[in-house]
């Protein structure tokens, strides 16, 4: 496994910016994640930055960290962990990742690396004289059944010999990489045996009953929709479907009754309705101050939740810090959070932020807010 560090300063550009198309894509991608979970977009954004510039620069890491409100070190950790991310300039036409893990090694990966050394550069991550090719050794890429193999871009090239890899490298260097079919480079279909199936090669003879049954099924079964004809569900429909219990209503009722009847087992708690705005436990609101606190510094509060809190007259850390249990439960129910306010300990976070801002938060929690 190679050491993964950022490239030397001499290679690092001063700044990074997504181009217009990628910036629009990045905004949409970030919005796919639930409130407060935008950091989950870190891997897709890093990959898009790499696709744009060829490798992940320090400036790109910092830009993405700022976009996702993450500490630089957290994004650096992700970029340095996954070998899919290149941390220095690589060949402009191909960067060849040679699997050197045991199955590939036993099937000849050392020969593949020798080809890379002789055709590209003796050292991994160094580019050839024209800057078009580079290579590295990586750990298992999950195609061991067709070892040895390499990955170039998003495709794998399997069942390689040194000669075949040499041809592939030449083709990429000539700018014709797209003409090569990825996958096995021998007479093998996906991961089937070389030369075709060796077992289950004949269909089992059908008995009279089975043949009749198959005939009936063929006549009565509706034709399976093609992928093109399949109705596409929207995100909203998918979300609604996910929220729908899998158990049929009758069966669900039966199960609930069975649970109720078990001694010592509490009956399922029915879903609670949204608490009333007139409820006595609703926390007291205030008029919007000239400089409201940035409630998004509380882990679990995103821009949308902050907007809802503002509608309730909640603008300061001090207000949140003063919530009693009943008030927390009211807000939790209003936001349909199912206990998240206490799990994320908003009150403790708000107390620290009210007392001494980010510095106090770091003192209490050992990390920056959010
Ligand atoms: S060992 Fe090479 S792909 Fe798994």
């Amino acid at each position: 496994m190679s050491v993964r560090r950022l490239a030397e300063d001499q290679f690092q550009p001063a700044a990074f910016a997504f181009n217009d198309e990628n910036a629009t894509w990045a905004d949409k991608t970030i919005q796919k994640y639930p409130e407060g979970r935008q950091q989950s977009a870190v891997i897709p954004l890093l990959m898009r930055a790499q696709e744009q510039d060829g490798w992940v620069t320090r400036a790109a890491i910092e830009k993405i960290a700022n976009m996702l409100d993450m500490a630089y070190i957290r994004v650096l950790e992700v970029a340095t962990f996954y070998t899919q991310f290149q941390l220095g300039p690589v060949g402009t036409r191909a960067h060849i990742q040679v699997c050197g893990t045991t199955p590939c090694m036993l099937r000849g990966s050392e020969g593949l690396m020798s080809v890379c050394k002789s055709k590209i550069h003796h050292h991994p991550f160094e580019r050839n004289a024209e800057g078009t090719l580079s290579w590295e050794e990586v750990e298992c890429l999950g195609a061991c059944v067709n070892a040895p193999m390499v990955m170039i871009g998003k495709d794998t090239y399997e069942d390689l010999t040194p000669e075949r890899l040499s041809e592939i490298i030449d083709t990429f260097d000539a700018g014709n990489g797209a003409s090569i079919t990825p996958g096995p480079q021998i007479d093998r279909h996906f991961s089937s045996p070389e030369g075709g199936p060796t077992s289950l090669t004949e269909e089992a003879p059908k008995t009279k009953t089975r043949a009749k049954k198959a005939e009936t099924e063929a006549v009565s079964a509706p034709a399976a929709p093609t992928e093109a004809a399949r109705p596409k569900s929207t995100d909203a429909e998918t979300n609604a479907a996910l929220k729908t219990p899998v158990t049929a209503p009758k069966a669900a009722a039966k199960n609930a009754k069975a649970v109720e009847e078990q001694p010592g087992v509490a009956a399922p708690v029915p879903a609670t309705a949204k608490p009333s705005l007139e409820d006595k436990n609703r926390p007291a609101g205030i008029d919007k101050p000239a400089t409201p606190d940035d409630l998004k510094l509380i882990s679990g509060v995103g821009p949308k939740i902050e907007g809802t809190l503002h509608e309730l007259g909640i603008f300061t850390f001090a207000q949140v810090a003063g919530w009693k249990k009943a008030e927390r439960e009211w807000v939790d129910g209003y936001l349909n959070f199912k206990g998240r306010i206490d799990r994320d300990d908003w009150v403790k976070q708000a107390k620290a932020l009210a007392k001494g801002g980010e510095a106090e938060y770091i003192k209490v929690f050992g990390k920056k807010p959010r």
Side-chain angles (χ1 to χ4, degrees), residues 94-97 151-157 172:
H95 176 70
I96 294 138
Q97 295 184 302
M151 180 175 248
I152 304 175
K154 291 179 177 171
D155 289 317
T156 56
Y157 300 85
F172 269 95

Side-chain angles (χ1 to χ4, degrees), residues 21-316:
E21 185 191 340
N22 287 341
T24 307
W25 174 90
D27 285 344
K28 275 195 192 148
T29 301
I30 293 169
Q31 284 167 23
K32 283 182 188 170
Y33 297 93
E35 285 301 329
R37 296 289 180 269
Q38 277 64 34
Q39 297 177 357
S40 305
V42 65
I43 287 181
L45 262 60
L46 281 169
M47 190 49 81
R48 187 55 73 110
Q50 174 164 293
E51 284 166 4
Q52 179 180 300
D53 284 4
W55 57 289
V56 177
T57 63
R58 181 192 293 141
I61 287 173
E62 292 173 356
K63 169 78 179 175
I64 290 167
N66 290 335
M67 288 171 74
L68 300 177
D69 204 10
M70 293 173 75
Y72 293 163
I73 184 67
R74 296 281 168 250
V75 183
L76 179 69
E77 283 168 353
V78 175
T80 52
F81 182 80
Y82 295 104
T83 53
Q84 286 94 331
F85 296 123
Q86 299 304 327
L87 303 175
V90 292
T92 51
R93 295 206 171 133
H95 176 70
I96 294 138
Q97 295 184 302
V98 185
C99 172
T101 303
T102 313
C104 281
M105 197 248 302
L106 292 174
R107 297 265 296 168
S109 65
E110 281 163 343
L112 303 185
M113 281 184 252
S114 297
V115 171
C116 292
K117 285 178 186 175
S118 66
K119 285 189 93 77
I120 302 173
H121 198 286
H122 187 71
H123 297 296
F125 294 108
E126 296 289 342
R127 289 168 289 173
N128 61 349
E130 296 76 28
T132 51
L133 299 168
S134 54
W135 73 281
E136 70 175 301
E137 178 183 348
V138 295
E139 299 300 321
C140 178
L141 288 168
C144 332
V145 70
N146 295 350
M149 56 78 69
V150 303
M151 180 175 248
I152 304 175
K154 291 179 177 171
D155 289 317
T156 56
Y157 300 85
E158 305 151 16
D159 289 308
L160 290 172
T161 58
E163 295 72 29
R164 180 61 186 141
L165 178 60
S166 180
E167 288 167 8
I168 290 174
I169 291 175
D170 288 342
T171 310
F172 269 95
D173 201 20
N176 297 325
S179 65
I180 306 170
T181 306
Q185 301 296 306
I186 59 169
D187 179 20
R188 184 204 293 280
H189 183 66
F190 296 124
S191 53
S192 302
E194 289 181 39
T198 56
S199 59
L200 301 176
T201 52
E202 288 170 17
E203 206 174 327
K206 287 177 184 151
T207 60
K208 259 191 176 174
T209 324
R210 286 180 60 207
K212 181 80 187 155
K213 190 167 172 245
E215 210 175 274
T216 318
E217 280 172 358
V219 171
S220 58
T226 63
E227 191 51 38
R230 201 188 298 279
K232 300 276 183 289
S233 62
T234 62
D235 285 356
E237 286 166 347
T238 307
N239 289 343
L242 287 171
K243 280 181 190 156
T244 307
V246 175
T247 325
K250 255 189 181 173
K254 197 176 160 198
N255 288 344
K257 191 157 186 297
V259 169
E260 248 175 73
E261 284 165 0
Q262 283 180 45
V265 177
V269 182
T272 47
K274 199 167 182 172
S276 159
L277 288 169
E278 313 306 326
D279 193 295
K280 66 178 175 22
N281 291 322
R282 173 183 167 179
I286 59 173
D287 289 336
K288 187 175 183 180
T291 51
D293 289 335
D294 182 2
L295 298 179
K296 296 190 296 304
L297 291 178
I298 298 173
S299 172
V301 178
K304 196 166 164 203
I305 300 298
E306 185 182 49
T308 308
L309 292 173
H310 285 176
E311 284 166 15
L312 295 170
I314 310 296
F315 292 98
T316 67

Side-chain angles (χ1 to χ4, degrees), residues 298 316-324 346-352 354:
I298 298 173
T316 67
F317 297 133
Q319 284 178 280
V320 179
W323 287 348
K324 299 283 178 296
W346 284 17
V347 168
K348 189 174 176 187
Q349 292 187 64
K351 272 185 185 158

